[in-house]
Amino acid sequence: MKIIGTGAYVPEKIITNDDLSTMVETSDEWITQRVGVKERRVSVNETAADFGAEAAKKALLSANISAEDLDLIIVSTITGETLCPTTAALIQKAIGATCPAFDMQSACSGFMFALDTADSFISSGKGYKNVLVVATERMSKILDWTDRSTCVIFGDGAGAAVVTEGDGYLASSLYTKGDDEVLYIPSCTKNSPFFEKEYADTKVFMNGSETFNFAVRKIVDDIKEVAEKAGISVSDIDYIVSHQANIRIISYASKRLGIPMDKFVVDIDKYGNTSSASVPMALDDLVKEGKLKDGDIIAMCAFGGGLSSSACIIKWSK
Ligand code: UT7
């Protein structure tokens, strides 16, 4: 497959670090230095499906195809408004598509898992040509806004990519290590009178330093792995589009891979960590900069709850 269009959307409301320091004991200095976020977007009225539909419309426009040309829609989200209908079904309706649509998730790595799934559908020979992959997250609805160790990190947003037949997806890797202690977000359906266990709190819990160490190790290992699979060396990579979880994670990865920081796309300062939406949002930022040219090698990578991680190598051509 190859990527022929990208799009992103964020809600209008900006929450700055100074705004947050009126809500929890924190400071602009701490958040900027320890995480790299200056501000993030939060939704007032829009849902993850609403953001996703806007990002999807932009991706279709940039791919120069219409919603009727889509053969499949795959949506990554952990923050959809309803379990049923899926967020994918709501986005399908909003953009006026008629193709099958389904949700899948692997927390912050979800977009990468969905992209790899899109590639598998396209190469399956079952007639899927144009696939829309969307990642959309309204993290603000599942955060504990009294917990300074998580609420300062995350933000809302959506990113999307249209992919079609092609030879631009050179290699990929998917990884899961089942773990329910380092990072978890319980789902919340408390209706059963028969269930005897106590229901868990529905908000994000993250052991920051363990997640941090996992992230740095996996970015480095995954990128080396996919570079080797693609038959290139790490120094051949022109741009790295990484999950935007913490600027220090990116900086460690840059040092350990020997890839200069200016090859990493960085937008965490503007949007914070938007979970699975962060990779397609950063990819869209890179595309919009207008520097990409045919033949450029892009490495993308993500990591997070699961624990999970994923990476791929793309040879850009449009
Ligand atoms: O997207 C999913 C994947 N997620 C990630 O990859 C996130 C990975 N983890 C991280 O980015 C970092 O671990 C955090 C940003 C979550 C935390 O940064 P840290 O440097 O690991 O901080 P820490 O948890 O070790 O805490 C250091 C200190 C503590 O104070 P004491 O005990 O040393 O007095 C915390 O209470 O910083 C304190 N602290 C804060 N201080 C001001 C924690 N959060 C804040 C805050 N403002 N918001």
Side-chain angles (χ1 to χ4, degrees), residues 1-40:
M1 70 167 190
K2 63 175 186 172
I3 296 176
I4 54 166
T6 62
Y9 177 83
V10 286
E12 234 175 71
K13 189 173 178 64
I14 295 173
I15 298 290
T16 64
N17 292 344
D18 286 337
D19 293 332
L20 281 179
S21 57
T22 66
M23 297 166 63
V24 288
E25 203 182 324
T26 191
S27 64
D28 175 49
E29 192 192 359
W30 193 94
I31 304 170
T32 305
Q33 284 178 4
R34 304 300 299 170
V35 196
V37 184
K38 294 299 283 182
E39 59 187 41
R40 71 286 294 143

Side-chain angles (χ1 to χ4, degrees), residues 24-303:
V24 288
E25 203 182 324
T26 191
S27 64
D28 175 49
E29 192 192 359
W30 193 94
I31 304 170
T32 305
Q33 284 178 4
R34 304 300 299 170
V35 196
V37 184
K38 294 299 283 182
E39 59 187 41
R40 71 286 294 143
R41 303 299 181 100
V42 297
S43 172
V44 178
N45 286 312
E46 294 158 300
T47 65
D50 295 330
F51 312 155
E54 292 309 314
K57 285 179 201 161
K58 292 182 186 183
L60 287 170
L61 212 60
S62 108
N64 203 18
I65 68 167
S66 76
E68 292 109 67
D69 298 325
L70 290 172
D71 300 304
L72 183 67
I73 300 170
I74 308 176
V75 173
S76 158
T77 186
I78 53 171
T79 51
E81 222 54 38
T82 48
L83 291 173
C84 162
T86 59
T87 299
L90 297 173
I91 291 174
Q92 184 236 39
K93 182 178 176 208
I95 65 174
T98 52
C99 61
F102 66 89
D103 287 359
M104 57 175 284
Q105 65 107 332
S106 183
C108 297
S109 314
F111 175 79
M112 303 286 299
F113 275 64
L115 197 64
D116 206 64
T117 306
D119 178 56
S120 300
F121 268 95
I122 289 170
S123 33
S124 71
K126 290 181 181 170
Y128 296 95
K129 183 168 178 260
N130 299 321
V131 183
L132 170 67
V133 184
V134 182
T136 181
E137 304 287 5
R138 183 155 79 90
M139 295 304 289
S140 57
K141 77 167 184 168
I142 56 167
L143 291 173
D144 177 351
W145 288 96
T146 64
D147 174 12
R148 68 177 182 174
S149 71
T150 49
C151 76
V152 305
I153 298 168
F154 293 96
D156 297 345
V162 177
V163 299
T164 193
E165 293 161 326
D167 54 4
Y169 194 61
L170 303 189
S172 65
S173 79
L174 305 175
Y175 173 86
T176 306
K177 173 183 176 282
D179 178 292
D180 59 358
E181 286 178 7
V182 175
L183 175 46
Y184 62 84
I185 309 163
S187 69
C188 120
T189 317
K190 301 187 178 179
N191 295 344
S192 172
F194 311 108
F195 189 67
E196 289 181 349
K197 276 193 190 173
E198 218 174 275
Y199 284 99
D201 194 351
T202 54
K203 294 163 187 160
V204 173
F205 170 84
M206 180 169 71
N207 178 325
S209 58
E210 282 207 34
T211 315
F212 192 103
N213 295 337
F214 169 76
V216 175
R217 200 179 69 245
K218 287 305 289 174
I219 291 191
V220 174
D221 290 353
D222 289 356
I223 287 188
K224 283 183 181 165
E225 182 189 331
V226 287
E228 196 182 325
K229 276 188 190 168
I232 61 166
S233 101
V234 163
S235 59
D236 294 328
I237 296 170
D238 296 298
Y239 299 100
I240 299 201
V241 178
S242 166
H243 175 37
Q244 309 283 306
N246 188 318
I247 191 66
R248 290 184 297 125
I249 292 176
I250 293 178
S251 155
Y252 273 112
S254 152
K255 283 191 195 107
R256 290 195 193 166
L257 285 164
I259 299 179
M261 269 303 270
D262 62 8
K263 288 192 173 184
F264 284 79
V265 179
V266 173
D267 65 8
I268 189 172
D269 51 329
K270 291 184 287 182
Y271 306 125
N273 176 344
T274 54
S275 188
S276 74
S278 102
V279 167
M281 283 170 63
L283 177 65
D284 187 58
D285 263 0
L286 175 63
V287 172
K288 279 198 195 119
E289 272 182 39
K291 287 192 298 197
L292 275 179
K293 47 187 191 316
D294 281 3
D296 278 349
I297 299 289
I298 304 171
M300 304 210 288
C301 57
F303 47 82

